[in-house]
Amino acid sequence: MLTEQDLTQISQRGMTAEQVSHQLEEIKNGFPFIRIEAAASVEKGIMSPTQEEQKRYAEAWNAYLGEGHQVVKFVPASGAASRMFKDLFAFLDAPYDAPQTEFEKKFFGDINKFAFRKALCAKCKENEGMSVCKLIEAGRYKDVVANLLLPKGLNYGQLPKGLLLFHEYEEGMRTPVEEHLVEAALYAQSEGKSHVHFTVSHEHLAFFEKTVEDKLPLYEKKFGVKYDVDFSEQKPSTDTIAANPDNTPFRTDDGKLLFRPGGHGALIENLNDISADVVFIKNIDNVVPDHLKDATVEGKKLIAGILVTLQKQAFDYLRTLESGEYSHETLEEMIRFVQRDLCCRKSDIKELEDTDLVIYLKEKLNRPMRVCGVVKNVGEPGGGPFLCYNADGTVSLQILESSQIDKNNSEYVAMFKNGTHFNPVDLVCGTRDYKGEKFNLPDFVDRQSGFISSKSKNGRELKALELPGLWNGAMSDWNTVFVEVPIETFNPVKTVNDLLRPQHQPEAGVESCK
């Protein structure tokens, strides 16, 4: 099935023929659905700390930072903004010239409230000889949109979200990249340094580097911090082969195999390359202006404080197990920790002898740990927190996406639909073991949690293989803890009009341009 030319192409990508053959088998056979016990809730698996507990965990995090540990803020930022503007692209192709839909009317009616309006106005004057307002008065709505989205203007339709102007301040406008730099200084600063890592696409790397180079001096001065910012790209070796509907390799017009990005789960390799004690993970578009950052900072300190507190306890138990100086009562204490604090249960644990208990406890305690902020479900699309069965028969906390749910199982569908909480991608991770050595994160991926999607290339149908997602299957074998955080910490920008929400508008008193 694979030719010599194929083998050369595969090798040049850093892959092997065995990997590609295995991927084709996965496309052919599909993946099993996840077996679910229940949706997680405050009554079952989600922590809801009291104010006193929140204060104690924040203090634990501040103390941890004071000990000089290395902390990194990891931001997946490779996504293009094209989906954010799909309604405006549709308007450009529409048979009418004036806004008709509610979305279009909202966009043009509030156009002066966008942080990018001055830059857009400048482009319109440069290309059309008149301002945005004058173009709208003349009924030239599509010229305004063209200057926003197309290469002749701001080219927002092709840029990544991270480089768009999101928020307005008296001193100027900020992109999401800048907001993440600000956040890093507020809750991830250790010994006067803040480390931030962005994963970006190759075609946008130079733009990101230039933005950071231009802006770093401003924020270093503003927050009295030194930044260490670096970037990585998704590795070609994490791409997956595409297949025809009959499961044979999909080939391009020149006869070559087609490889596609394997989804955000591929970023587990990028995360694995980072050397840090604690890593925060948050999506590029989930940012707010400074006057609303308090809830975000408090939420991050809360989940980070819980992480280092639980991690310290796990490390102490592992050292005790390693020393051999423990009693049966001590082992029972460790079991309670695993069951109560890490929410991992084994139904037949009482049948295990002490020797087997030690093996079980070492295996369950000595793995990466993550604490995930979850927010109350407000109907946003995406994954949520669940109690799931693992291959070893245990039940533990997992984040699941809809693709992992058997749609023919009405009980599971109801759990997913009626879940009380939602995953906003708000994680803090401990990626070192009790000896201070890095875990090899790919060892903890559930390879059986990928999925197959239907796509097309040049009008031809194809099957695409999605790798286990970064915060679900790729972290399936981590110790996971869910913590309820305020809904105010979740403010994604999925469409351009989301920037008109109060959470993305300037503080009262910031003058808006007319």
Side-chain angles (χ1 to χ4, degrees):
M1 185 182 290
L2 297 175
T3 66
E4 285 300 319
Q5 177 182 309
D6 295 338
L7 296 177
T8 300
Q9 183 185 355
I10 291 166
S11 175
Q12 289 172 344
R13 303 184 66 83
M15 301 175 72
T16 65
E18 290 73 19
Q19 279 179 293
V20 171
S21 297
H22 181 66
Q23 288 180 0
L24 288 169
E25 280 298 307
E26 289 179 320
I27 291 173
K28 178 182 177 181
N29 298 324
F31 295 94
F33 292 113
I34 301 294
R35 187 179 167 211
I36 305 170
E37 183 185 79
S41 63
V42 171
E43 295 76 25
K44 189 178 289 188
I46 298 177
M47 292 178 63
S48 183
T50 64
Q51 285 195 336
E52 184 57 37
E53 288 170 332
Q54 291 177 36
K55 180 181 177 183
R56 189 167 70 247
Y57 286 126
E59 289 171 350
W61 176 241
N62 289 333
Y64 186 85
L65 288 177
E67 294 167 1
H69 296 280
Q70 185 169 10
V71 180
V72 171
K73 192 171 177 357
F74 182 91
V75 186
S78 58
S82 50
R83 282 180 295 179
M84 184 174 154
F85 297 105
K86 67 176 183 178
D87 295 274
L88 294 184
F89 275 116
F91 174 67
L92 280 182
D93 294 333
Y96 50 83
D97 295 320
Q100 300 292 321
T101 68
E102 289 305 312
F103 188 96
E104 293 159 2
K105 291 175 183 177
K106 178 71 174 173
F107 173 80
F108 286 106
D110 288 335
I111 199 163
N112 278 329
K113 294 182 179 179
F114 290 107
F116 55 70
R117 66 185 181 275
K118 292 181 182 177
L120 176 59
C121 211
K123 278 295 179 184
C124 286
K125 288 177 180 177
E126 177 185 331
N127 293 325
E128 315 300 336
M130 59 178 76
S131 69
V132 168
C133 294
K134 292 295 183 184
L135 286 171
I136 289 175
E137 287 175 9
R140 294 173 58 182
Y141 295 95
K142 289 190 176 182
D143 285 334
V144 173
V145 174
N147 277 280
L148 176 66
L149 301 183
L150 304 184
K152 73 169 187 176
L154 296 180
N155 200 29
Y156 270 24
Q158 298 303 316
L159 290 179
K161 281 187 185 179
L163 299 180
L164 309 186
L165 295 175
F166 263 35
H167 298 146
E168 178 182 3
Y169 298 87
E170 289 185 353
E171 64 271 22
M173 315 300 176
R174 276 189 207 162
T175 61
V177 164
E178 295 170 73
E179 297 292 15
H180 279 284
L181 294 176
V182 172
E183 279 194 25
L186 296 177
Y187 60 76
Q189 178 183 157
S190 178
E191 296 188 321
K193 292 183 180 178
S194 284
H195 302 267
V196 186
H197 183 95
F198 295 98
T199 64
V200 302
S201 57
H202 179 71
E203 66 265 32
H204 297 136
L205 176 59
F207 296 108
F208 275 99
E209 289 177 331
K210 182 69 166 62
T211 296
V212 169
E213 180 186 351
D214 290 345
K215 299 297 183 177
L216 271 194
L218 170 66
Y219 297 112
E220 288 184 336
K221 181 178 180 181
K222 184 178 181 72
F223 296 103
V225 63
K226 291 297 291 182
Y227 286 99
D228 176 16
V229 180
D230 58 355
F231 304 89
S232 66
E233 302 172 28
Q234 192 166 308
K235 300 177 181 180
S237 60
T238 64
D239 289 351
T240 57
I241 193 168
N244 294 304
D246 65 357
N247 302 313
T248 57
F250 185 102
R251 296 182 182 277
T252 55
D253 293 340
D254 58 2
K256 291 185 177 180
L257 300 172
L258 176 66
F259 290 88
R260 305 178 74 261
H264 57 67
L267 298 181
I268 197 70
E269 296 282 352
N270 303 62
L271 185 61
N272 195 48
D273 290 339
I274 290 177
S275 178
D277 298 305
V278 170
V279 182
F280 287 92
I281 302 179
K282 187 181 178 187
N283 279 341
I284 187 68
D285 64 326
N286 184 14
V287 287
V288 292
D290 286 354
H291 68 280
L292 297 176
K293 278 194 175 70
D294 285 351
T296 294
V297 173
E298 290 168 8
K300 293 296 182 296
K301 289 187 174 183
L302 168 63
I303 63 175
I306 291 172
L307 173 76
V308 297
T309 301
L310 294 176
Q311 194 179 54
K312 181 180 184 301
Q313 184 65 78
F315 288 175
D316 287 346
Y317 284 146
L318 284 164
R319 293 186 187 101
T320 299
L321 291 172
E322 189 176 52
S323 73
E325 298 177 4
Y326 49 81
S327 63
H328 180 74
E329 289 70 27
T330 307
L331 295 181
E332 288 186 331
E333 179 187 323
M334 295 181 192
I335 290 167
R336 284 193 294 273
F337 173 77
V338 171
Q339 292 182 333
R340 181 193 63 231
D341 297 282
L342 302 183
C343 232
C344 180
R345 300 191 319 277
K346 182 175 175 64
S347 59
D348 60 350
I349 196 157
K350 291 183 179 179
E351 300 172 16
L352 299 183
E353 298 292 335
D354 282 4
T355 345
D356 294 323
L357 274 178
V358 169
I359 294 170
Y360 172 77
L361 286 166
K362 282 183 176 178
E363 180 191 349
K364 288 302 177 186
L365 290 170
N366 194 27
R367 54 183 61 203
M369 184 182 293
R370 59 175 177 160
V371 176
C372 312
V374 293
V375 297
K376 288 183 178 176
N377 197 342
V378 290
E380 293 280 353
F386 289 84
L387 284 155
C388 302
Y389 289 91
N390 303 310
D392 64 358
T394 59
V395 173
S396 66
L397 295 170
Q398 302 285 348
I399 293 171
L400 297 188
E401 302 287 341
S402 60
S403 60
Q404 297 174 276
I405 306 289
D406 183 357
K407 305 300 189 300
N408 295 318
N409 187 318
S410 58
E411 183 183 1
Y412 288 3
V413 171
M415 287 180 190
F416 197 83
K417 183 179 179 181
N418 301 322
T420 59
H421 288 73
F422 172 81
N423 164 43
V425 189
D426 187 2
L427 290 72
V428 58
C429 308
T431 55
R432 292 190 187 276
D433 65 16
Y434 68 108
K435 296 179 180 179
E437 298 172 357
K438 273 177 82 289
F439 286 109
N440 183 46
L441 301 183
D443 291 344
F444 299 88
V445 175
D446 177 6
R447 303 290 173 184
Q448 290 297 302
S449 60
F451 68 95
I452 314 301
S453 58
S454 298
K455 304 288 183 181
S456 65
K457 174 76 173 177
N458 296 333
R460 295 165 53 198
E461 288 185 33
L462 61 84
K463 288 183 175 181
L465 171 61
E466 298 279 345
L467 296 174
L470 182 59
W471 33 84
N472 37 62
M475 295 181 174
S476 179
D477 290 339
W478 292 39
N479 281 322
T480 298
V481 176
F482 291 132
V483 182
E484 186 178 65
V485 293
I487 188 69
E488 290 80 11
T489 64
F490 180 54
N491 298 285
V493 177
K494 301 305 180 187
T495 75
V496 63
N497 280 3
D498 286 341
L499 290 171
L500 297 173
R501 292 178 178 179
Q503 297 92 330
H504 293 287
Q505 287 296 296
E507 188 174 14
V510 175
E511 184 180 351
S512 103
C513 132
K514 303 296 183 187

